[in-house]
Amino acid sequence: MMLFITTVSIAVLQLSALSLSNTIDEMNLMKAHYDAERGARWFVAYGKSGGTFDDKQPIIVEADSDHTVYIKADATMSVPRHVMSYGIRNGYTARVHLYLKEGNNNTFEVVAIKPY
């Protein structure tokens, strides 16, 4: 009986550790997605204020030791133009897709945002 209780206790501890690990991974992914959304909001405001975008270079929105947020154009030419906001936190990456209508002198207007 004691062996059974010990075995069940060890199994419960292992499942708890696995569940905690999955929860931490999910929280880091959610934080990365929030970072990508924040980058997309910044990019929309940047475009509305008359900002320009050269699709050859990514725009770094934020960068520190924990996370990086940047905007990068898709390599394929499409209409509307496809741009992604990346959020990277502790090795987990999330992105938000933005679609642009290009104007004169590298100006742009965001016409759609897809958060997946």
Side-chain angles (χ1 to χ4, degrees), residues 31-41 69 85-87 94-96:
K31 289 176 185 177
H33 190 72
Y34 175 75
D35 291 338
E37 287 177 347
R38 195 169 61 245
R41 284 192 299 271
V69 179
S85 171
Y86 289 88
R95 60 184 182 238
V96 172

Side-chain angles (χ1 to χ4, degrees), residues 12-41:
V12 168
L13 285 174
Q14 291 293 327
L15 288 174
S16 298
L18 180 62
S19 177
L20 177 62
S21 174
N22 288 342
T23 301
I24 291 170
D25 291 346
E26 187 66 28
M27 290 301 294
N28 281 324
L29 187 58
M30 288 174 62
K31 289 176 185 177
H33 190 72
Y34 175 75
D35 291 338
E37 287 177 347
R38 195 169 61 245
R41 284 192 299 271

Side-chain angles (χ1 to χ4, degrees), residues 42-102:
W42 177 88
F43 192 65
V44 169
Y46 177 70
K48 286 183 177 180
S49 68
T52 61
F53 180 60
D54 177 16
D55 58 2
K56 294 168 186 57
Q57 295 291 339
I59 299 175
I60 297 186
V61 178
E62 296 177 16
D64 66 18
S65 62
D66 286 345
H67 72 286
T68 303
V69 179
Y70 65 94
I71 310 296
K72 184 177 178 187
D74 191 3
T76 60
M77 294 302 287
S78 61
V79 176
R81 189 80 173 105
H82 181 223
V83 174
M84 289 178 279
S85 171
Y86 289 88
I88 303 171
R89 181 173 294 262
N90 298 329
Y92 295 90
T93 303
R95 60 184 182 238
V96 172
H97 301 264
L98 300 106
Y99 295 90
L100 314 177
K101 181 173 74 174
E102 294 182 278

